[in-house]
Short mmCIF file of all heavy atoms in Angstrom, two decimals:
data_model
loop_
_atom_site.label_atom_id
_atom_site.label_comp_id
_atom_site.label_asym_id
_atom_site.label_seq_id
_atom_site.Cartn_x
_atom_site.Cartn_y
_atom_site.Cartn_z
N MET A 470 -6.10 -160.78 -49.74
CA MET A 470 -6.06 -159.57 -48.92
C MET A 470 -7.41 -158.89 -48.99
O MET A 470 -8.10 -158.94 -50.02
CB MET A 470 -4.94 -158.61 -49.36
CG MET A 470 -5.20 -157.87 -50.64
SD MET A 470 -4.18 -156.36 -50.81
CE MET A 470 -2.52 -157.01 -50.77
N LEU A 471 -7.77 -158.27 -47.89
CA LEU A 471 -9.03 -157.53 -47.75
C LEU A 471 -8.71 -156.12 -47.31
O LEU A 471 -7.82 -155.91 -46.49
CB LEU A 471 -9.92 -158.22 -46.71
CG LEU A 471 -11.12 -157.42 -46.16
CD1 LEU A 471 -12.22 -157.31 -47.22
CD2 LEU A 471 -11.66 -158.07 -44.89
N ASN A 472 -9.43 -155.15 -47.85
CA ASN A 472 -9.38 -153.79 -47.32
C ASN A 472 -10.53 -153.68 -46.32
O ASN A 472 -11.68 -153.44 -46.69
CB ASN A 472 -9.52 -152.75 -48.44
CG ASN A 472 -9.30 -151.34 -47.93
OD1 ASN A 472 -9.27 -151.08 -46.73
ND2 ASN A 472 -9.15 -150.41 -48.86
N LYS A 473 -10.21 -153.91 -45.07
CA LYS A 473 -11.23 -153.99 -44.03
C LYS A 473 -11.88 -152.64 -43.75
O LYS A 473 -11.20 -151.64 -43.50
CB LYS A 473 -10.60 -154.52 -42.73
CG LYS A 473 -11.56 -154.58 -41.55
CD LYS A 473 -10.80 -154.85 -40.27
CE LYS A 473 -11.61 -154.62 -39.03
NZ LYS A 473 -12.21 -153.28 -38.90
N PRO A 474 -13.21 -152.60 -43.76
CA PRO A 474 -13.90 -151.36 -43.40
C PRO A 474 -13.98 -151.21 -41.87
O PRO A 474 -13.80 -152.16 -41.12
CB PRO A 474 -15.32 -151.56 -43.97
CG PRO A 474 -15.29 -152.85 -44.73
CD PRO A 474 -14.14 -153.63 -44.22
N ARG A 475 -14.29 -150.01 -41.44
CA ARG A 475 -14.54 -149.76 -40.03
C ARG A 475 -15.82 -150.51 -39.58
O ARG A 475 -16.77 -150.62 -40.35
CB ARG A 475 -14.71 -148.26 -39.78
CG ARG A 475 -14.82 -147.87 -38.30
CD ARG A 475 -15.18 -146.40 -38.19
NE ARG A 475 -14.18 -145.55 -38.81
CZ ARG A 475 -13.11 -145.07 -38.19
NH1 ARG A 475 -12.91 -145.37 -36.92
NH2 ARG A 475 -12.26 -144.30 -38.83
N GLY A 476 -15.83 -150.98 -38.37
CA GLY A 476 -17.03 -151.58 -37.80
C GLY A 476 -17.12 -153.09 -37.89
O GLY A 476 -18.05 -153.69 -37.35
N TYR A 477 -16.17 -153.71 -38.56
CA TYR A 477 -16.15 -155.18 -38.67
C TYR A 477 -15.08 -155.74 -37.74
O TYR A 477 -13.97 -155.21 -37.68
CB TYR A 477 -15.85 -155.60 -40.11
CG TYR A 477 -17.01 -155.42 -41.05
CD1 TYR A 477 -17.32 -154.16 -41.56
CD2 TYR A 477 -17.81 -156.49 -41.43
CE1 TYR A 477 -18.40 -153.98 -42.42
CE2 TYR A 477 -18.88 -156.33 -42.30
CZ TYR A 477 -19.17 -155.07 -42.79
OH TYR A 477 -20.23 -154.89 -43.64
N ILE A 478 -15.43 -156.82 -37.05
CA ILE A 478 -14.45 -157.42 -36.16
C ILE A 478 -13.68 -158.52 -36.89
O ILE A 478 -14.21 -159.15 -37.81
CB ILE A 478 -15.09 -157.96 -34.86
CG1 ILE A 478 -16.10 -159.07 -35.15
CG2 ILE A 478 -15.74 -156.84 -34.08
CD1 ILE A 478 -16.58 -159.77 -33.89
N THR A 479 -12.43 -158.71 -36.48
CA THR A 479 -11.56 -159.64 -37.19
C THR A 479 -11.64 -161.02 -36.53
O THR A 479 -10.80 -161.39 -35.71
CB THR A 479 -10.11 -159.13 -37.17
OG1 THR A 479 -10.11 -157.79 -37.64
CG2 THR A 479 -9.22 -159.98 -38.06
N THR A 480 -12.67 -161.74 -36.89
CA THR A 480 -12.85 -163.10 -36.42
C THR A 480 -13.72 -163.83 -37.42
O THR A 480 -14.33 -163.20 -38.30
CB THR A 480 -13.49 -163.12 -35.02
OG1 THR A 480 -13.55 -164.45 -34.52
CG2 THR A 480 -14.91 -162.55 -35.06
N SER A 481 -13.78 -165.14 -37.31
CA SER A 481 -14.60 -165.91 -38.25
C SER A 481 -16.07 -165.92 -37.84
O SER A 481 -16.95 -166.03 -38.69
CB SER A 481 -14.07 -167.35 -38.33
OG SER A 481 -12.75 -167.36 -38.81
N LYS A 482 -16.32 -165.80 -36.54
CA LYS A 482 -17.69 -165.88 -36.04
C LYS A 482 -17.78 -165.11 -34.74
O LYS A 482 -16.85 -165.10 -33.95
CB LYS A 482 -18.07 -167.36 -35.81
CG LYS A 482 -19.52 -167.61 -35.45
CD LYS A 482 -19.78 -169.10 -35.32
CE LYS A 482 -21.24 -169.37 -35.00
NZ LYS A 482 -21.51 -170.83 -34.85
N ASP A 483 -18.92 -164.43 -34.52
CA ASP A 483 -19.09 -163.67 -33.29
C ASP A 483 -20.37 -164.09 -32.59
O ASP A 483 -21.46 -164.06 -33.17
CB ASP A 483 -19.12 -162.17 -33.58
CG ASP A 483 -19.24 -161.35 -32.32
OD1 ASP A 483 -18.32 -161.43 -31.47
OD2 ASP A 483 -20.26 -160.66 -32.15
N GLU A 484 -20.25 -164.49 -31.32
CA GLU A 484 -21.40 -164.97 -30.57
C GLU A 484 -22.42 -163.86 -30.30
O GLU A 484 -23.59 -164.14 -30.03
CB GLU A 484 -20.94 -165.57 -29.25
CG GLU A 484 -20.09 -166.83 -29.42
CD GLU A 484 -19.60 -167.37 -28.09
OE1 GLU A 484 -19.80 -166.69 -27.06
OE2 GLU A 484 -19.01 -168.47 -28.09
N ASN A 485 -21.97 -162.60 -30.38
CA ASN A 485 -22.87 -161.47 -30.11
C ASN A 485 -23.54 -160.93 -31.37
O ASN A 485 -24.24 -159.92 -31.32
CB ASN A 485 -22.10 -160.35 -29.41
CG ASN A 485 -21.55 -160.80 -28.06
OD1 ASN A 485 -22.24 -161.48 -27.30
ND2 ASN A 485 -20.31 -160.43 -27.77
N GLY A 486 -23.31 -161.61 -32.49
CA GLY A 486 -23.98 -161.21 -33.73
C GLY A 486 -23.41 -159.98 -34.41
O GLY A 486 -24.05 -159.41 -35.30
N ARG A 487 -22.20 -159.57 -34.00
CA ARG A 487 -21.59 -158.41 -34.65
C ARG A 487 -21.08 -158.78 -36.04
O ARG A 487 -20.83 -159.94 -36.33
CB ARG A 487 -20.44 -157.88 -33.79
CG ARG A 487 -20.88 -157.27 -32.47
CD ARG A 487 -19.69 -156.90 -31.61
NE ARG A 487 -18.93 -158.10 -31.21
CZ ARG A 487 -17.82 -158.07 -30.48
NH1 ARG A 487 -17.31 -156.90 -30.09
NH2 ARG A 487 -17.21 -159.19 -30.16
N LYS A 488 -20.92 -157.77 -36.89
CA LYS A 488 -20.42 -158.01 -38.24
C LYS A 488 -18.96 -158.44 -38.18
O LYS A 488 -18.15 -157.84 -37.48
CB LYS A 488 -20.56 -156.74 -39.09
CG LYS A 488 -21.98 -156.28 -39.33
CD LYS A 488 -22.04 -155.03 -40.18
CE LYS A 488 -21.46 -153.83 -39.46
NZ LYS A 488 -21.65 -152.58 -40.25
N THR A 489 -18.62 -159.49 -38.93
CA THR A 489 -17.24 -159.95 -38.99
C THR A 489 -16.71 -159.80 -40.41
O THR A 489 -17.48 -159.67 -41.37
CB THR A 489 -17.11 -161.43 -38.56
OG1 THR A 489 -17.50 -162.28 -39.64
CG2 THR A 489 -17.96 -161.72 -37.33
N VAL A 490 -15.38 -159.86 -40.53
CA VAL A 490 -14.78 -159.72 -41.86
C VAL A 490 -15.20 -160.86 -42.79
O VAL A 490 -15.22 -160.68 -44.01
CB VAL A 490 -13.24 -159.66 -41.76
CG1 VAL A 490 -12.80 -158.37 -41.07
CG2 VAL A 490 -12.66 -160.88 -41.05
N ILE A 491 -15.57 -161.99 -42.23
CA ILE A 491 -16.00 -163.12 -43.05
C ILE A 491 -17.30 -162.80 -43.78
O ILE A 491 -17.57 -163.33 -44.86
CB ILE A 491 -16.15 -164.40 -42.19
CG1 ILE A 491 -14.80 -164.73 -41.54
CG2 ILE A 491 -16.61 -165.58 -43.02
CD1 ILE A 491 -13.65 -164.95 -42.50
N ASP A 492 -18.10 -161.90 -43.21
CA ASP A 492 -19.35 -161.48 -43.88
C ASP A 492 -19.07 -160.79 -45.21
O ASP A 492 -19.97 -160.70 -46.07
CB ASP A 492 -20.15 -160.52 -42.97
CG ASP A 492 -20.62 -161.18 -41.70
OD1 ASP A 492 -20.86 -162.41 -41.72
OD2 ASP A 492 -20.74 -160.48 -40.67
N LEU A 493 -17.86 -160.30 -45.40
CA LEU A 493 -17.51 -159.58 -46.62
C LEU A 493 -16.97 -160.49 -47.71
O LEU A 493 -16.75 -160.05 -48.84
CB LEU A 493 -16.43 -158.52 -46.30
CG LEU A 493 -16.83 -157.44 -45.30
CD1 LEU A 493 -15.60 -156.68 -44.85
CD2 LEU A 493 -17.84 -156.49 -45.92
N ILE A 494 -16.77 -161.76 -47.37
CA ILE A 494 -16.05 -162.65 -48.28
C ILE A 494 -16.98 -163.72 -48.85
O ILE A 494 -17.57 -164.50 -48.10
CB ILE A 494 -14.88 -163.33 -47.53
CG1 ILE A 494 -13.94 -162.25 -46.99
CG2 ILE A 494 -14.13 -164.29 -48.44
CD1 ILE A 494 -12.99 -162.76 -45.96
N PRO A 495 -17.11 -163.78 -50.15
CA PRO A 495 -17.91 -164.85 -50.75
C PRO A 495 -17.22 -166.19 -50.58
O PRO A 495 -15.99 -166.26 -50.46
CB PRO A 495 -17.97 -164.46 -52.24
CG PRO A 495 -16.73 -163.66 -52.45
CD PRO A 495 -16.49 -162.92 -51.17
N LYS A 496 -17.99 -167.27 -50.51
CA LYS A 496 -17.38 -168.60 -50.43
C LYS A 496 -16.64 -168.87 -51.73
O LYS A 496 -17.15 -168.64 -52.81
CB LYS A 496 -18.45 -169.67 -50.19
CG LYS A 496 -18.84 -169.81 -48.73
CD LYS A 496 -19.44 -171.17 -48.44
CE LYS A 496 -19.61 -171.37 -46.95
NZ LYS A 496 -20.17 -172.69 -46.63
N ILE A 497 -15.42 -169.36 -51.57
CA ILE A 497 -14.54 -169.58 -52.72
C ILE A 497 -14.42 -171.08 -52.93
O ILE A 497 -13.79 -171.78 -52.14
CB ILE A 497 -13.16 -168.95 -52.47
CG1 ILE A 497 -13.33 -167.46 -52.11
CG2 ILE A 497 -12.27 -169.12 -53.68
CD1 ILE A 497 -12.23 -166.90 -51.29
N ASN A 498 -15.08 -171.57 -53.98
CA ASN A 498 -15.08 -173.02 -54.25
C ASN A 498 -15.50 -173.81 -53.02
O ASN A 498 -14.96 -174.88 -52.73
CB ASN A 498 -13.68 -173.47 -54.71
CG ASN A 498 -13.27 -172.80 -56.01
OD1 ASN A 498 -14.11 -172.50 -56.85
ND2 ASN A 498 -11.98 -172.55 -56.17
N ASN A 499 -16.49 -173.27 -52.27
CA ASN A 499 -16.99 -173.91 -51.06
C ASN A 499 -15.91 -174.10 -49.99
O ASN A 499 -16.04 -174.96 -49.12
CB ASN A 499 -17.63 -175.26 -51.39
CG ASN A 499 -18.93 -175.09 -52.17
OD1 ASN A 499 -19.72 -174.20 -51.84
ND2 ASN A 499 -19.13 -175.89 -53.18
N GLN A 500 -14.85 -173.32 -50.06
CA GLN A 500 -13.80 -173.39 -49.06
C GLN A 500 -13.80 -172.13 -48.21
O GLN A 500 -14.08 -171.04 -48.70
CB GLN A 500 -12.43 -173.57 -49.73
CG GLN A 500 -12.30 -174.88 -50.50
CD GLN A 500 -10.90 -175.07 -51.05
OE1 GLN A 500 -9.92 -174.86 -50.36
NE2 GLN A 500 -10.82 -175.46 -52.32
N ARG A 501 -13.48 -172.30 -46.93
CA ARG A 501 -13.46 -171.18 -46.01
C ARG A 501 -12.04 -170.63 -45.86
O ARG A 501 -11.07 -171.37 -45.91
CB ARG A 501 -13.95 -171.63 -44.63
CG ARG A 501 -15.41 -172.05 -44.61
CD ARG A 501 -15.86 -172.29 -43.21
NE ARG A 501 -15.09 -173.35 -42.54
CZ ARG A 501 -15.24 -173.68 -41.26
NH1 ARG A 501 -16.11 -173.01 -40.50
NH2 ARG A 501 -14.53 -174.65 -40.72
N VAL A 502 -11.97 -169.33 -45.68
CA VAL A 502 -10.72 -168.70 -45.30
C VAL A 502 -10.95 -168.00 -43.97
O VAL A 502 -12.10 -167.78 -43.56
CB VAL A 502 -10.22 -167.69 -46.36
CG1 VAL A 502 -9.86 -168.39 -47.64
CG2 VAL A 502 -11.27 -166.60 -46.63
N TYR A 503 -9.88 -167.66 -43.28
CA TYR A 503 -9.99 -167.00 -41.98
C TYR A 503 -8.90 -165.95 -41.87
O TYR A 503 -7.90 -165.98 -42.59
CB TYR A 503 -9.91 -168.01 -40.84
CG TYR A 503 -8.78 -169.00 -40.98
CD1 TYR A 503 -7.49 -168.69 -40.60
CD2 TYR A 503 -9.01 -170.26 -41.53
CE1 TYR A 503 -6.45 -169.58 -40.74
CE2 TYR A 503 -7.97 -171.17 -41.69
CZ TYR A 503 -6.69 -170.82 -41.29
OH TYR A 503 -5.67 -171.71 -41.44
N PRO A 504 -9.09 -164.98 -40.94
CA PRO A 504 -8.14 -163.87 -40.85
C PRO A 504 -6.78 -164.30 -40.30
O PRO A 504 -6.69 -165.19 -39.45
CB PRO A 504 -8.83 -162.90 -39.88
CG PRO A 504 -10.24 -163.36 -39.77
CD PRO A 504 -10.24 -164.82 -40.05
N VAL A 505 -5.74 -163.63 -40.79
CA VAL A 505 -4.39 -163.80 -40.27
C VAL A 505 -4.09 -162.59 -39.40
O VAL A 505 -3.97 -161.48 -39.91
CB VAL A 505 -3.36 -163.90 -41.41
CG1 VAL A 505 -1.95 -164.05 -40.83
CG2 VAL A 505 -3.69 -165.06 -42.34
N GLY A 506 -4.01 -162.77 -38.10
CA GLY A 506 -3.81 -161.63 -37.21
C GLY A 506 -5.11 -160.86 -37.04
O GLY A 506 -6.20 -161.34 -37.38
N ARG A 507 -4.97 -159.62 -36.55
CA ARG A 507 -6.16 -158.85 -36.21
C ARG A 507 -6.02 -157.39 -36.57
O ARG A 507 -4.92 -156.84 -36.63
CB ARG A 507 -6.43 -158.94 -34.70
CG ARG A 507 -6.92 -160.31 -34.26
CD ARG A 507 -7.25 -160.30 -32.79
NE ARG A 507 -7.79 -161.58 -32.38
CZ ARG A 507 -7.54 -162.18 -31.24
NH1 ARG A 507 -6.72 -161.62 -30.38
NH2 ARG A 507 -8.09 -163.34 -30.93
N LEU A 508 -7.18 -156.77 -36.80
CA LEU A 508 -7.35 -155.33 -36.78
C LEU A 508 -8.59 -155.08 -35.93
O LEU A 508 -9.61 -155.74 -36.14
CB LEU A 508 -7.58 -154.78 -38.19
CG LEU A 508 -6.38 -154.49 -39.08
CD1 LEU A 508 -6.85 -154.08 -40.47
CD2 LEU A 508 -5.49 -153.42 -38.49
N ASP A 509 -8.52 -154.15 -34.98
CA ASP A 509 -9.70 -153.94 -34.13
C ASP A 509 -10.84 -153.34 -34.95
O ASP A 509 -10.66 -152.87 -36.07
CB ASP A 509 -9.35 -153.10 -32.90
CG ASP A 509 -8.95 -151.68 -33.24
OD1 ASP A 509 -9.78 -150.96 -33.81
OD2 ASP A 509 -7.82 -151.29 -32.92
N ALA A 510 -12.03 -153.37 -34.36
CA ALA A 510 -13.25 -153.00 -35.10
C ALA A 510 -13.18 -151.60 -35.69
O ALA A 510 -13.69 -151.36 -36.79
CB ALA A 510 -14.47 -153.12 -34.18
N ASN A 511 -12.54 -150.66 -35.00
CA ASN A 511 -12.50 -149.28 -35.47
C ASN A 511 -11.33 -148.98 -36.40
O ASN A 511 -11.19 -147.86 -36.87
CB ASN A 511 -12.46 -148.32 -34.27
CG ASN A 511 -13.77 -148.30 -33.51
OD1 ASN A 511 -14.84 -148.39 -34.11
ND2 ASN A 511 -13.70 -148.22 -32.19
N SER A 512 -10.49 -149.99 -36.66
CA SER A 512 -9.36 -149.82 -37.57
C SER A 512 -9.72 -150.34 -38.95
O SER A 512 -10.59 -151.20 -39.10
CB SER A 512 -8.12 -150.54 -37.04
OG SER A 512 -7.73 -150.00 -35.79
N THR A 513 -9.02 -149.85 -39.96
CA THR A 513 -9.31 -150.22 -41.34
C THR A 513 -8.02 -150.67 -42.02
O THR A 513 -6.93 -150.56 -41.48
CB THR A 513 -9.91 -149.03 -42.12
OG1 THR A 513 -8.93 -147.98 -42.20
CG2 THR A 513 -11.15 -148.49 -41.44
N GLY A 514 -8.19 -151.17 -43.25
CA GLY A 514 -7.02 -151.44 -44.06
C GLY A 514 -6.70 -152.90 -44.29
O GLY A 514 -7.58 -153.76 -44.23
N LEU A 515 -5.42 -153.16 -44.54
CA LEU A 515 -4.95 -154.44 -45.04
C LEU A 515 -5.08 -155.56 -44.02
O LEU A 515 -4.52 -155.49 -42.93
CB LEU A 515 -3.50 -154.31 -45.49
CG LEU A 515 -2.77 -155.57 -45.96
CD1 LEU A 515 -3.53 -156.25 -47.08
CD2 LEU A 515 -1.37 -155.23 -46.41
N LEU A 516 -5.80 -156.60 -44.41
CA LEU A 516 -5.94 -157.80 -43.60
C LEU A 516 -5.76 -158.99 -44.53
O LEU A 516 -6.35 -159.04 -45.61
CB LEU A 516 -7.32 -157.86 -42.94
CG LEU A 516 -7.58 -159.04 -42.02
CD1 LEU A 516 -6.74 -158.92 -40.74
CD2 LEU A 516 -9.06 -159.13 -41.66
N LEU A 517 -4.93 -159.94 -44.12
CA LEU A 517 -4.72 -161.15 -44.90
C LEU A 517 -5.69 -162.24 -44.45
O LEU A 517 -6.05 -162.32 -43.28
CB LEU A 517 -3.29 -161.66 -44.74
CG LEU A 517 -2.18 -160.70 -45.19
CD1 LEU A 517 -0.81 -161.32 -44.91
CD2 LEU A 517 -2.31 -160.37 -46.67
#
C-alpha cells in the first residue's frame, strides 16, 4: 500500500513525463509492481 501524495498520476508510465506513483517506489528485488485501480492526480491516500 502507498499513501499517494497530490500531483502524482496513477499509472506505471506517462508519455508526457508527468510524475507517476511508480516514481515513489524503490525496485523490490528487481521486480516491478503496478497500481491496482486509480486515484486522480489531485487525490491522495490509499493505493494498492
Side-chain angles (χ1 to χ4, degrees):
M470 74 160 60
L471 165 72
N472 187 347
K473 177 191 167 304
R475 186 188 300 271
Y477 285 79
I478 62 171
T479 308
T480 185
S481 298
K482 187 177 181 181
D483 182 62
E484 295 178 353
N485 298 318
R487 292 174 295 178
K488 296 181 292 186
T489 79
V490 293
I491 301 302
D492 296 330
L493 299 167
I494 301 165
K496 277 203 171 181
I497 305 154
N498 298 328
N499 291 318
Q500 296 185 46
R501 295 188 300 175
V502 294
Y503 46 83
V505 179
R507 289 183 176 142
L508 276 175
D509 66 61
N511 290 323
S512 298
T513 65
L515 176 55
L516 182 70
L517 299 177

